[in-house]
Amino acid sequence: MAKLNSANFDDDFSEAIAKSTQYCSKNNLELVTTDLLILFCLKPSTQENFQKQGLKLDRIHSAIEQIDLYHKKNQKIISVTMEEKISQNDDNLEIMHSSWNHSKANQKVLLSAAISRQIQTAIAISEKNGIQRVGILGYLIGVLEDKESFVAHYLHKAGITRAFISEKFNIKLLSPLGEEASILEKYTENLTQMADLALLNTTIGRDNELEEIYEILGRKNKNNALLVGKAG
């Protein structure tokens, strides 16, 4: 794992990492995963900032519920009121490279490799924008840039996209190669990539339509399919 330093994070993001780590320590979990950290990042003040920029709270709450269910399915341990169960005064956490050590429990809780990868992206984005410390917005972009992250799908459904954060909060993006994101990357979603990660909804009752699309795409000429109609 890459070496991380708490000095790279602002207060809000440090708090999200500390709370997620403390939650893992209290529940005997050795690894903080992206889904858990995102749940702490999407706190009420973050939701309020997004609402002020035009996002609907019900979409954000729906995404939080889906991420919560995703975490339950994978970790089989989480509470909707997890923040209420964590003492606000218990801050005995120290960063140790890419791990956080809870001194009371004498238990080291690691950040997942995915989180380390996402934070490295966030650090690069922050440097490009002249921001000294990574915040929640920077980390969210790091997650959205991560091709292997299932959580990014749920953020997209809430309207929390790279383009949204870039436009509303005036943050320059990076492409996977570390260059300025192209217009296509900035304003569109890669459906092929989402299909590879099994993030698209299963199509039911459209066998005839699918066969017709396969036939069109398989042509040597005139092989562009245009789908017109209401959603579903």
Side-chain angles (χ1 to χ4, degrees), residues 56-125:
K56 294 183 179 179
L57 275 180
D58 57 345
R59 292 182 65 186
I60 298 175
H61 292 164
S62 177
I64 291 173
E65 290 176 4
Q66 291 175 317
I67 295 171
D68 186 15
L69 289 173
Y70 177 82
H71 183 78
K72 286 179 179 177
K73 180 180 178 181
N74 288 274
Q75 296 286 359
K76 297 188 178 182
I77 178 168
I78 197 169
S79 169
V80 176
T81 58
M82 60 185 174
E83 288 200 40
E84 297 175 4
K85 292 186 177 182
I86 295 176
S87 171
Q88 296 294 326
N89 298 321
D90 192 1
D91 294 321
N92 298 314
L93 296 166
E94 297 178 351
I95 189 164
M96 299 177 61
H97 300 316
S98 58
S99 66
W100 293 73
N101 184 63
H102 192 284
S103 56
K104 278 192 174 182
N106 195 27
Q107 175 186 1
K108 182 182 289 185
V109 179
L110 297 176
L111 302 180
S112 70
I115 290 178
S116 294
R117 182 173 64 246
Q118 294 152 4
I119 288 177
Q120 292 297 337
T121 300
I123 290 174
I125 291 172

Side-chain angles (χ1 to χ4, degrees), residues 37-200:
L37 181 53
I38 285 292
L39 287 172
F40 282 104
C41 286
L42 295 178
K43 58 184 181 179
S45 59
T46 305
Q47 297 176 34
E48 184 179 350
N49 285 337
F50 287 153
Q51 185 185 31
K52 289 179 180 178
Q53 298 300 330
L55 289 190
K56 294 183 179 179
L57 275 180
D58 57 345
R59 292 182 65 186
I60 298 175
H61 292 164
S62 177
I64 291 173
E65 290 176 4
Q66 291 175 317
I67 295 171
D68 186 15
L69 289 173
Y70 177 82
H71 183 78
K72 286 179 179 177
K73 180 180 178 181
N74 288 274
Q75 296 286 359
K76 297 188 178 182
I77 178 168
I78 197 169
S79 169
V80 176
T81 58
M82 60 185 174
E83 288 200 40
E84 297 175 4
K85 292 186 177 182
I86 295 176
S87 171
Q88 296 294 326
N89 298 321
D90 192 1
D91 294 321
N92 298 314
L93 296 166
E94 297 178 351
I95 189 164
M96 299 177 61
H97 300 316
S98 58
S99 66
W100 293 73
N101 184 63
H102 192 284
S103 56
K104 278 192 174 182
N106 195 27
Q107 175 186 1
K108 182 182 289 185
V109 179
L110 297 176
L111 302 180
S112 70
I115 290 178
S116 294
R117 182 173 64 246
Q118 294 152 4
I119 288 177
Q120 292 297 337
T121 300
I123 290 174
I125 291 172
S126 297
E127 290 176 349
K128 184 178 184 65
N129 286 272
I131 301 172
Q132 293 184 347
R133 298 189 295 169
V134 173
I136 288 177
L137 289 177
Y139 177 65
L140 287 173
I141 295 178
V143 174
L144 293 166
E145 292 264 9
D146 190 351
K147 295 181 178 181
E148 300 178 16
S149 174
F150 277 76
V151 177
H153 171 63
Y154 301 120
L155 294 176
H156 271 278
K157 293 180 71 173
I160 303 172
T161 64
R162 296 193 311 161
F164 170 80
I165 296 176
S166 174
E167 289 181 3
K168 301 298 183 179
F169 298 95
N170 194 29
I171 297 178
K172 296 179 181 178
L173 299 175
L174 300 175
S175 73
L177 296 177
E179 300 172 350
E180 193 80 35
S182 68
I183 296 298
L184 192 63
E185 292 174 329
K186 185 175 179 181
Y187 293 103
T188 64
E189 294 183 10
N190 189 329
L191 297 180
T192 302
Q193 180 186 103
M194 292 176 67
D196 287 341
L197 294 174
L199 296 179
L200 297 179

